[in-house]
Amino acid sequence: MKIKLNHFRIILLSISVFIPSLIIIADYFSLDFVWRIFRFGHMVPMFGDLRTIPTMETYDGIRENINVDPWGRPYNYPEVWIYIFTFISYIFDPYLFFGTLQLIIYPIIFWKISRYFNDLKPLIYFTAIYFSPPILLLLERGNNDGIVFIIIL
């Protein structure tokens, strides 16, 4: 039974790598037909929920927040995120950085947690929750709350 459990765990781990890869490919190549088939509310540009976090720009010695959210939603994260995104924006695009980082962390967390299951039934329950549509929606949108939920899970 131990061998079957390890094989099943490897298959699930490969799926946890495959799903974020599909999200990146679908967003990068604008494959909206996939989202329309499943009636999934897809946001363009990538990682729409992260785009509510503004960055600070300095004009003539005056600092102001530049909101890049194309939908005009209000900013509802702690203020420290503005400073983090501003710092990262000097190096590269903070929205792609944190969104992709979440997609990379997703399979790593799955791998770490799945090692604690010694029976197939609890692993299947965990997998059903871990790959549930709300969590995948949070990943696709780049919502920071999704990573917090996965860590708590």
Side-chain angles (χ1 to χ4, degrees), residues 22-94:
L22 281 180
I23 290 173
I24 290 173
I25 290 169
D27 281 336
Y28 184 76
F29 292 109
S30 299
L31 301 175
D32 290 336
F33 70 90
V34 175
W35 309 118
R36 279 186 258 137
I37 289 172
F38 295 109
R39 299 185 184 268
F40 193 84
H42 176 62
M43 299 176 97
V44 177
M46 273 176 91
F47 310 120
D49 286 352
L50 278 177
R51 298 195 183 270
T52 60
I53 301 174
T55 57
M56 294 175 66
E57 300 281 331
T58 304
Y59 297 107
D60 298 327
I62 300 171
R63 295 183 126 191
E64 65 179 58
N65 291 343
I66 305 300
N67 194 346
V68 295
D69 183 27
W71 301 278
R73 296 171 294 173
Y75 170 71
N76 62 356
Y77 288 107
E79 191 172 341
V80 70
W81 281 105
I82 295 173
Y83 299 111
I84 293 170
F85 270 51
T86 301
F87 177 73
I88 296 294
S89 71
Y90 294 129
I91 304 167
F92 37 76
D93 186 8

Side-chain angles (χ1 to χ4, degrees), residues 1-2 7 15-16 28 30 38 65 68 72 83 86 92 94-97 102 104 107 114-115 121 124 129 132 137-138:
M1 184 68 174
K2 183 81 169 167
H7 288 294
I15 290 171
S16 74
Y28 184 76
S30 299
F38 295 109
N65 291 343
V68 295
Y83 299 111
T86 301
F92 37 76
Y95 308 105
L96 291 178
F97 173 73
Q102 288 180 8
I104 291 170
S114 69
R115 292 185 313 158
K121 192 172 183 179
I124 290 173
I129 294 171
S132 65
L137 179 65
L138 291 173

